[in-house]
Amino acid sequence: MATITDRLGRRGVALLSLLLVSIVIGFLIKFEQIAILYVLATLSLVVLLLVVGFADLENVGVDGDHGLGPGTE
């Protein structure tokens, strides 16, 4: 059975998640749940800062090969 990443691909999953997040934010604004929106924004910033903080930037290759797609062998 194919997983959702196999069927949609990387870009499709990113667009689907963006759509879901925007729907949730829209509902929170519509129903005036701004306090929940503030908490979610704060938690997302904390997660982003943790990802950046724990990123291993010393071992990033300098040759420009980041594995971003075909033709980057």
Side-chain angles (χ1 to χ4, degrees):
M1 179 181 239
T3 62
I4 193 165
T5 55
D6 292 339
R7 288 185 285 160
L8 291 177
R10 195 175 200 176
R11 185 176 298 167
V13 171
L15 289 175
L16 183 63
S17 63
L18 179 65
L19 177 68
L20 291 176
V21 168
S22 62
I23 288 172
V24 168
I25 290 173
F27 276 120
L28 287 174
I29 291 173
K30 180 181 179 187
F31 295 118
E32 298 177 358
Q33 298 296 320
I34 304 302
I36 297 174
L37 194 59
Y38 283 148
V39 170
L40 289 177
T42 303
L43 289 175
S44 64
L45 282 175
V46 167
V47 168
L48 176 67
L49 288 175
L50 285 173
V51 167
V52 170
F54 286 110
D56 191 14
L57 298 177
E58 291 182 6
N59 292 329
V60 173
V62 230
D63 57 355
D65 181 22
H66 301 291
L68 296 176
T72 57
E73 283 94 39

